[in-house]
Structures are given as C-alpha cells and as structure tokens.
Amino acid sequence: DAKTTQPPSMDCAEGRAANLPCNHSTISGNEYVYWYRQIHSQGPQYIIHGLKNNETNEMASLIITEDRKSSTLILPHATLRDTAVYYCIVRVGISNYKLTFGKGTLLTVNP
Amino acid sequence: KAGVTQTPRYLIKTRGQQVTLSCSPISGHRSVSWYQQTPGQGLQFLFEYFSETQRNKGNFPGRFSGRQFSNSRSEMNVSTLELGDSALYLCASSSDRTSSYNSPLHFGNGTRLTVT
C-alpha cells in the first residue's frame, strides 16, 4: 500500500471549514483514498473514500488532485464534536479488510 | 441499521488467564476483521474472517486466535495473557461483495482489555 503523510496536528475555529491535507505521492492507479476519524475511546469512524473524482457526502468532502498524489478532507462547518484524530489511508479496493493506519492528524476544534 | 457491536466494553484479566471477545457485524456483512490498538504501536491488523474461514492473518503470536460463526458473528480469543496484551481490541465488518468491492470497513467501539 502507498504510504501517506499527514501533519500531526491542526487547529480550527468552530463554525469554520477544516481542511485536512494528506500526501500520497506513491499511490497506484487502482488504490483508493479512505478517510477515517477516531474520537477518544471509540472505534475509527468511516468518513469518505474516493478514487480520482471529488466526493461529497453528509459528513465531508474529499478533494483529490488531478495527479492523485495528494488529497484534502474538508469538514465544511467544524463543530467541537469534530475534534478527533483523522486518518488518511490508501488501499487497493479489493479485499480492503487490512487497513494500515498511520499516526493521523489530531484536529482540535476550538470554540 | 445497527452498527458493529462488541462485547464486553471493558475487561480486566490477570496475567496467564485467557479471554474471549465477541463481535456482531453489521447485518449482511460477511467479512469480519480484528485490530489491536495500543498507544505505542497504533492500530495493527490481527486477522480477518469470511464465511467462517480465516482468510488473512497479521503478525501476532499463536496465542491470538479467532473464529467466525455461520451468522457472521465472530469471537477472538487470547490465551496466556501477558501485560503487553493490554489494548483496545477493535472489530470491523464489511460487505465484501464483488459488486461493491471497495466497500469501507465499519468499526465497533472496541473492547478495552486490561491485563494486571
């Protein structure tokens, strides 16, 4: 699986958009980008995933660059409950049972 | 739709004992995988079951084992517990159907195991 690089921590003001970057410069053509988050003492929560097109769901938007070497997760209106560790994972879609989690980005949303 | 359910939520055991953790996947999901999370090592893959068969295994000793039942529910067993086994054990399920092979994993909230 391709390696991902994320900043260790970020801050965001409540109500503002949170933009979390992820670098995956060695991504292969058939690898998907997944985003999960983990709030303290809970299991990782699936947020969104994509291959090459931008994706949006009720939680967030995923913007993948044209060369697919990086992506950005956007939480449009961050709330205090969005404070969590966010993981960017790259994985071949088939049999995605084994996800390799890095250290992620600790996003702190401040009032 | 109910999410992944893990029981018990917390467990305290003594070194040398054994423990069994339970996981009920999302209805219709046939793939169940297990992860161990510790502050030092982060999230690490233990093994994955599909249709009652272990398909893949991570790099853990044989003391860690599991099984899956015909209703897709899964159990994980750790024998001869060591202090280093203290961790959050997470179960995840996915549909793993060919038509949706990129279906994401959905995690439960885990079982917090403390070995004293």
Side-chain angles (χ1 to χ4, degrees), chain B residues 9 17 21 23 29 38 40 42 44-47 49 51-52 55 60 66 69 76 81 83 93 105 107 112-113:
Chain B
R9 188 78 174 90
Q17 288 186 314
L21 313 179
C23 171
H29 284 193
T38 60
Q44 293 186 290
F45 171 75
L46 279 157
F47 31 64
Y49 286 85
S51 290
E52 304 178 64
R55 285 201 299 195
F60 278 81
F69 303 95
M76 190 192 106
L81 284 166
L83 295 178
S93 73
L105 286 184
F107 287 82
R112 173 77 61 186
L113 172 66

Side-chain angles (χ1 to χ4, degrees), chain A:
Chain A
D1 298 334
K3 181 176 164 55
T4 61
T5 304
Q6 298 177 255
S9 63
M10 292 182 65
D11 286 313
C12 176
E14 189 177 20
R16 305 298 291 268
N19 297 280
L20 292 94
C22 179
N23 181 285
H24 31 79
S25 57
T26 60
I27 192 170
S28 301
N30 60 348
E31 288 184 306
Y32 284 75
V33 179
Y34 291 85
W35 282 84
Y36 282 79
R37 72 180 182 183
Q38 188 171 24
I39 296 169
H40 184 62
S41 295
Q42 295 183 19
Q45 178 189 24
Y46 164 76
I47 301 173
I48 199 167
H49 74 282
L51 184 61
K52 51 186 170 184
N53 297 320
N54 298 337
E55 302 287 345
T56 296
N57 63 21
E58 65 279 3
M59 288 183 68
S61 294
L62 174 61
I63 308 297
I64 302 174
T65 58
E66 194 169 339
D67 62 8
R68 303 211 321 124
K69 293 186 177 186
S70 66
S71 61
T72 300
L73 178 74
I74 302 172
L75 307 178
H77 305 287
T79 71
L80 299 180
R81 287 183 293 182
D82 291 323
T83 293
V85 177
Y86 287 77
Y87 297 99
C88 168
I89 300 160
V90 171
R91 177 64 180 161
V92 173
I94 295 174
S95 297
N96 65 346
Y97 54 87
K98 182 180 176 182
L99 297 179
T100 302
F101 288 80
K103 295 191 184 303
T105 296
L106 171 60
L107 173 69
T108 303
V109 180
N110 301 305

Side-chain angles (χ1 to χ4, degrees), chain B residues 43-105:
Chain B
L43 275 146
Q44 293 186 290
F45 171 75
L46 279 157
F47 31 64
E48 186 245 358
Y49 286 85
F50 181 81
S51 290
E52 304 178 64
T53 301
Q54 186 183 88
R55 285 201 299 195
N56 296 280
K57 191 176 189 304
N59 191 25
F60 278 81
R63 299 186 297 108
F64 292 82
S65 63
R67 59 177 175 168
Q68 186 180 33
F69 303 95
S70 58
N71 61 358
S72 294
R73 192 177 70 83
S74 177
E75 287 182 348
M76 190 192 106
N77 184 276
V78 188
S79 62
T80 320
L81 284 166
E82 301 177 358
L83 295 178
D85 297 333
S86 294
L88 180 65
Y89 290 89
L90 293 156
C91 168
S93 73
S94 70
S95 63
D96 198 59
R97 282 193 295 270
T98 304
S99 62
S100 58
Y101 68 92
N102 61 347
S103 63
L105 286 184

